Amino acid sequence: MITSLTIDEILQFLKNTPEQAVFDWKQDFVLPNDDEKKGELIKDIVAVANASFLSYGFIFYGVNPKKPDPLIGITSHYDDAHIQQLIKGKIEPLPSFLYYEVSMGTKAVAVIQIAPSKKRPFIISTDIGRVRRGQIVIRRGSSTDGVTLQDLFEFFYGDNSFYGQNFLHHHNVHARQLEAKATYMAQSRADLEKLEDDMWRMGGFSGKPK
């Protein structure tokens, strides 16, 4: 379950954390009403989700960390259901995220908080606006970039890869199963040979002919 930040935590975050891979900010948030803006929102969420494998990723709206008072405030208000419905079916797999608003006086900050996940890559699964089905983007520093071959290796085979860990787990389980089966077969063969020797001796022979 995602635990939302308080306004004090948001202010502390804005003052002490430069814009980076898991932290993006915008001066306002308006629910996208055309494909161009919807595509941009989907792209932003995918980019941060692909970078957030060890810690939460955040997109803050209604802020400007470069100003003495970083709280600008959003001009419109929404709830999580609006955003979830907009994103549903457009990212595969769907990252776990929460949209919420936090107020201080007359100003409100909107937050899209994305849970860390090793099930990368998150892939755009629809053509909308300028983004295309199959597109994979990632947040690097203060910018959004396309993934590289090295990124894909990290997604699937790196130390922080869900798929790589699963592969190694299943590989090790399969190897242990084969080893156990080989041990069992060898022991069965030895038991069978001993039984045959015993039967020959019971018949008055010194043992099974070689």
Side-chain angles (χ1 to χ4, degrees):
M1 181 178 178
I2 298 176
T3 303
S4 57
L5 299 178
T6 65
I7 192 65
D8 289 335
E9 289 171 330
I10 291 173
L11 285 170
Q12 197 69 20
F13 201 106
L14 294 174
K15 291 176 181 178
N16 297 331
T17 310
E19 193 177 28
Q20 55 179 299
V22 294
F23 164 41
D24 191 8
W25 63 269
K26 318 278 184 182
Q27 296 200 49
D28 198 7
F29 180 77
V30 177
L31 192 69
N33 56 7
D34 60 50
D35 285 352
E36 190 78 19
K37 293 176 182 177
K38 289 177 183 177
E40 282 302 311
L41 176 60
I42 292 165
K43 183 179 177 181
D44 288 341
I45 292 175
V46 168
V48 174
N50 277 327
S52 305
F53 58 94
L54 292 177
S55 61
Y56 283 99
F58 299 92
I59 307 174
F60 294 113
Y61 299 90
V63 301
N64 186 341
K66 298 177 182 179
K67 291 189 173 183
D69 180 2
L71 296 185
I72 298 173
I74 53 176
T75 56
S76 303
H77 302 274
Y78 308 95
D79 59 35
D80 181 61
H82 283 101
I83 315 303
Q84 297 288 345
Q85 186 61 37
L86 190 151
I87 300 301
K88 185 178 179 181
K90 299 178 178 67
I91 303 174
E92 187 179 352
L94 183 65
S96 178
F97 72 92
L98 179 67
Y99 173 90
Y100 57 92
E101 298 174 0
V102 185
S103 298
M104 184 174 188
T106 59
K107 297 177 182 178
V109 175
V111 182
I112 292 180
Q113 185 171 335
I114 302 164
S117 174
K118 296 180 180 181
K119 292 184 178 181
R120 305 177 299 163
F122 295 97
I123 305 170
I124 296 169
S125 58
T126 186
D127 292 338
I128 185 167
R130 295 185 182 181
V131 302
R132 291 293 174 264
R133 182 174 182 268
Q135 191 173 353
I136 310 173
V137 291
I138 190 169
R139 184 88 178 157
R140 299 189 203 280
S142 60
S143 63
T144 295
D145 195 10
V147 299
T148 64
L149 183 61
Q150 184 59 43
D151 290 324
L152 292 176
F153 274 112
E154 179 63 29
F155 290 163
F156 290 108
Y157 305 111
D159 292 338
N160 294 305
S161 166
F162 168 82
Y163 304 102
Q165 290 175 352
N166 268 7
F167 172 79
L168 289 175
H169 172 73
H170 289 301
H171 175 76
N172 290 336
V173 168
H174 184 60
R176 288 195 296 270
Q177 288 173 339
L178 289 177
E179 183 179 354
K181 185 176 181 179
T183 301
Y184 171 77
M185 293 299 292
Q187 185 61 51
S188 297
R189 190 176 299 111
D191 291 343
L192 180 59
E193 290 178 353
K194 183 177 183 303
L195 178 61
E196 290 179 342
D197 277 343
D198 290 344
M199 291 178 67
W200 279 94
R201 287 192 178 92
M202 290 173 63
F205 298 93
S206 59
K208 178 182 176 183
K210 302 298 183 184

